[in-house]
Amino acid sequence: SQELEQSPQSLIVQEGKNLTINCTSSKTLYGLYWYKQKYGEGLIFLMMLQKGGEEKSHEKITAKLDEKKQQSSLHITASQPSHAGIYLCGADFYGGTSYGKLTFGQGTILTVHP
Amino acid sequence: AAGVIQSPRHLIKEKRETATLKCYPIPRHDTVYWYQQGPGQDPQFLISFYEKMQSDKGSIPDRFSAQQFSDYHSELNMSSLELGDSALYFCASSSLLERGKETQYFGPGTRLLVL
């Protein structure tokens, strides 16, 4: 979706390296969701950010939402092969005709080499 | 904890046939969303229901219809199937009262293959 741009499209890192995935919205966000997906499988909820400047962490994954609530980043520290997969950001925009429906970014394919 | 349940997990149909996908939301969730994810694409919103009423409609073909029942489960009915309908179909559920909280969870998806 052009409303939500995710970068990079793919990322190949060596195990133990840090990495960052970005998600930029053309509109103000009510909420920003991060999911992980193994190819052909379901979306695993990682984190949800709503407040400007908010930052959340779970294990080695940290997500931040900027003050203007239009950009989010997902940072993985000391990556492991288990982190490999497709990372998707999903935006819940202000306004619109319904609450909660998500518009997704194009996804980032992460490969972690042992 | 209970998650979103979808059935069937896999479905193979011929062109022009019909298919029905089912979604059982997390207990106490009142809103259901349907998404379609084509190969190598991001999920695209199809339709949503709140309290058994359609709340929003996205890029859903006229050949598709959906409804939410009194027990909050939802069904996506797809008729005159085309090859391009082959995709992963996800259902997600949430609670409107808890919008903004971490309650939007996805089911495992139904993989539909149209031959």
Side-chain angles (χ1 to χ4, degrees), chain B residues 13-33:
Chain B
K13 291 285 184 178
E14 300 277 342
K15 283 196 309 182
R16 291 180 289 278
E17 284 191 321
T18 61
T20 297
L21 280 55
K22 297 184 179 182
C23 169
Y24 297 86
I26 291 172
R28 293 184 296 281
H29 279 190
D30 49 31
T31 306
V32 167
Y33 311 84

Side-chain angles (χ1 to χ4, degrees), chain B residues 96-112:
Chain B
L96 181 62
L97 290 179
E98 296 189 357
R99 183 193 181 198
K101 299 181 183 178
E102 300 178 5
T103 58
Q104 181 152 167
Y105 295 97
F106 281 72
T110 294
R111 179 173 290 283
L112 172 66

Side-chain angles (χ1 to χ4, degrees), chain A residues 1 30 33 35 37 40-43 45 48 50 56 88 92-94 97-102 104-106, chain B residues 31 33 35 37 42-43 45 48 55-57 88 90 96 99-109 111:
Chain A
S1 165
Y30 184 90
Y33 292 74
Y35 293 91
Q37 183 180 30
E41 298 181 8
L43 277 67
F45 173 80
M48 185 267 185
Q50 190 185 15
K56 289 185 178 178
L88 289 158
D92 180 1
F93 293 115
Y94 270 107
T97 52
S98 71
Y99 298 128
K101 78 174 185 186
L102 299 182
F104 286 91
Q106 306 96 317
Chain B
T31 306
Y33 311 84
Y35 294 84
Q37 186 178 32
D42 56 281
F45 172 74
S48 62
S55 56
D56 200 359
K57 198 170 182 180
L88 263 172
F90 290 108
L96 181 62
R99 183 193 181 198
K101 299 181 183 178
E102 300 178 5
T103 58
Q104 181 152 167
Y105 295 97
F106 281 72
R111 179 173 290 283

Side-chain angles (χ1 to χ4, degrees), chain B residues 4-100:
Chain B
V4 178
I5 297 171
Q6 289 188 248
S7 67
R9 294 293 309 277
H10 303 274
L11 193 57
I12 300 175
K13 291 285 184 178
E14 300 277 342
K15 283 196 309 182
R16 291 180 289 278
E17 284 191 321
T18 61
T20 297
L21 280 55
K22 297 184 179 182
C23 169
Y24 297 86
I26 291 172
R28 293 184 296 281
H29 279 190
D30 49 31
T31 306
V32 167
Y33 311 84
W34 285 97
Y35 294 84
Q36 178 192 57
Q37 186 178 32
Q41 299 180 359
D42 56 281
Q44 296 291 316
F45 172 74
L46 292 177
I47 195 166
S48 62
F49 292 88
Y50 167 66
E51 283 291 344
K52 293 151 279 184
M53 298 288 290
Q54 181 181 306
S55 56
D56 200 359
K57 198 170 182 180
S59 50
I60 182 170
D62 292 339
R63 300 177 288 108
F64 294 5
S65 64
Q67 57 181 324
Q68 186 179 30
F69 295 86
S70 57
D71 64 352
Y72 293 99
H73 95 272
S74 177
E75 294 184 4
L76 178 66
N77 298 294
M78 310 160 72
S79 62
S80 302
L81 286 169
E82 301 174 357
L83 296 178
D85 295 330
S86 297
L88 263 172
Y89 290 85
F90 290 108
C91 169
S93 75
S94 68
S95 168
L96 181 62
L97 290 179
E98 296 189 357
R99 183 193 181 198

Side-chain angles (χ1 to χ4, degrees), chain A residues 5-23:
Chain A
E5 295 287 337
Q6 193 172 333
S7 65
Q9 291 188 346
S10 65
L11 199 51
I12 302 173
V13 299
Q14 205 67 33
E15 183 178 0
K17 295 295 185 182
N18 303 334
L19 62 104
T20 299
I21 300 169
N22 294 301
C23 184

